[in-house]
Amino acid sequence: MKRLTDILISFWAMVILLPVVLIVAINILVNDKGPVIYKQKRVGKDGKLFYIYKFRSMVVDAEPNGPQLSSDDDIRVTRLGRTLRKWRLDELPQLWNIFIGDMSLVGPRAERLFLLNK
C-alpha cells in the first residue's frame, strides 16, 4: 500500500508541479549557464546504491576536493540556489526517485556513502 501511495502521489505531484519545474529549469539555464540537474550517489534501503536527482543549487564543480558538507552561508551556493533551497524547490526532481522506487515519501533520508563511511 505504501508503494502504491508513493507512485500515485509522486506521479500527480510531477504533473501538477510541471510548470514550476520548467520555470526553475529555465532560470538555472539562463542564470547559471550549467547543468540543470545534479545527481549524487546515495545509499538506500538494504545498502542499495542509486542516484538522487536535484536541481543544481551550487556552482559547477562545487566539490573538486571530494565531498563537503554545506552550510547556511556556503559560498558555493548560487544566488538562485539560495532561493531554491529556502523553498526546497531544489528537491523537486526527487519526485522521480520516489516514482521509480529508489526513495519513499516517508522514511529515513538516503545518505551519501561518504558520510555513512565516516
Side-chain angles (χ1 to χ4, degrees):
M1 197 58 153
K2 181 178 178 184
R3 179 70 188 123
L4 179 61
T5 302
D6 283 345
I7 291 170
L8 292 174
I9 291 176
S10 62
F11 174 79
W12 285 110
M14 286 189 293
V15 170
I16 292 167
L17 294 170
L18 183 61
V20 175
V21 167
L22 291 174
I23 290 168
V24 170
I26 290 168
N27 270 296
I28 292 171
L29 274 175
V30 169
N31 292 311
D32 295 332
K33 309 282 192 269
V36 172
I37 300 291
Y38 170 74
K39 71 179 185 176
Q40 186 177 68
K41 194 175 277 189
R42 296 286 180 109
V43 180
K45 186 176 179 182
D46 299 324
K48 176 187 171 198
L49 294 175
F50 69 97
Y51 283 102
I52 194 171
Y53 298 100
K54 293 184 170 198
F55 282 122
R56 187 175 55 78
S57 61
M58 289 190 168
V59 296
V60 175
D61 198 25
E63 298 179 322
N65 300 320
Q68 301 171 6
L69 291 176
S70 180
S71 63
D72 289 338
D73 57 347
D74 197 323
I75 61 170
R76 300 172 298 158
V77 178
T78 64
R79 190 169 25 142
L80 177 60
R82 292 202 189 287
T83 302
L84 295 178
R85 287 175 170 214
K86 178 180 178 182
W87 294 98
R88 302 286 189 243
L89 297 174
D90 61 323
E91 299 187 2
L92 286 177
Q94 292 176 34
L95 290 168
W96 178 251
N97 288 107
I98 295 166
F99 184 74
I100 64 174
D102 287 337
M103 296 172 54
S104 181
L105 285 168
V106 177
R109 172 185 169 93
E111 197 52 80
R112 295 173 78 175
L113 185 58
F114 166 79
L115 294 175
L116 286 178
N117 290 335
K118 266 187 135 179

